[in-house]
Amino acid sequence: MQLLSALLLLLTPLSLALPTSISFLDNPLEARQCYTTCGSNCYTQAKVTAAKNAGYSYVKQGGTAGGSTYPHAYNNYEGFDFPVSGPYYEFPLLSSGQTYTGGSPGADRVIFNSGGSLAGEITHTGASGNNFVGCSGTS
């Protein structure tokens, strides 16, 4: 009995120091998860959304990023089955995690429609010529 009492006395301060919620796991873990993978590049939902929002902002303003041609019309020659109707625009998704502001666009793109709704993600990686293939989740 004395051993049990001593053990309880030792563990009580430790149990009071433990968090009462695991909410600290919610956002950081989700933020690191791949929403889509293009070739070997993993993109979180936040990065895809940021790229889509930046591209759509340029469309609404009638401009392009840093003197580039992006965003520009995407004609869907490959015949992807996007969940939203067109017309579509393409805008670079950068493997660095930054939002595209001009320069080399890399291989990956976010596709959105004229209403700003996300259509999908595509990449030149693994495609022949200047074609695209779908990133994970885009068919």
Side-chain angles (χ1 to χ4, degrees), residues 88-107:
Y88 301 111
Y89 294 90
E90 68 175 275
F91 194 72
L93 265 173
L94 300 180
S95 60
S96 67
Q98 301 299 311
T99 301
Y100 182 76
T101 57
S104 175

Side-chain angles (χ1 to χ4, degrees), residues 13-139:
L14 178 61
S15 67
L16 292 174
L18 292 175
T20 58
S21 165
I22 60 167
S23 64
F24 64 93
L25 292 177
D26 295 346
N27 292 337
L29 181 59
E30 183 178 324
R32 290 188 307 267
Q33 291 178 337
C34 291
Y35 174 75
T36 191
T37 302
C38 302
S40 60
N41 297 326
C42 163
Y43 296 100
T44 64
Q45 186 169 13
K47 295 298 180 190
V48 169
T49 300
K52 188 252 323 167
N53 289 346
Y56 183 59
S57 179
Y58 285 113
V59 168
K60 288 192 309 186
Q61 296 170 11
T64 59
S68 72
T69 63
Y70 294 101
H72 58 244
Y74 174 69
N75 295 308
N76 197 16
Y77 295 129
E78 294 83 1
F80 292 108
D81 186 21
F82 295 127
V84 297
S85 60
Y88 301 111
Y89 294 90
E90 68 175 275
F91 194 72
L93 265 173
L94 300 180
S95 60
S96 67
Q98 301 299 311
T99 301
Y100 182 76
T101 57
S104 175
D108 307 331
R109 305 285 185 274
V110 62
I111 306 299
F112 55 93
N113 69 8
S114 58
S117 296
L118 180 65
E121 303 81 26
I122 59 177
T123 182
H124 286 299
T125 303
S128 60
N130 201 32
N131 294 328
F132 288 102
V133 294
C135 299
S136 63
T138 299
S139 55

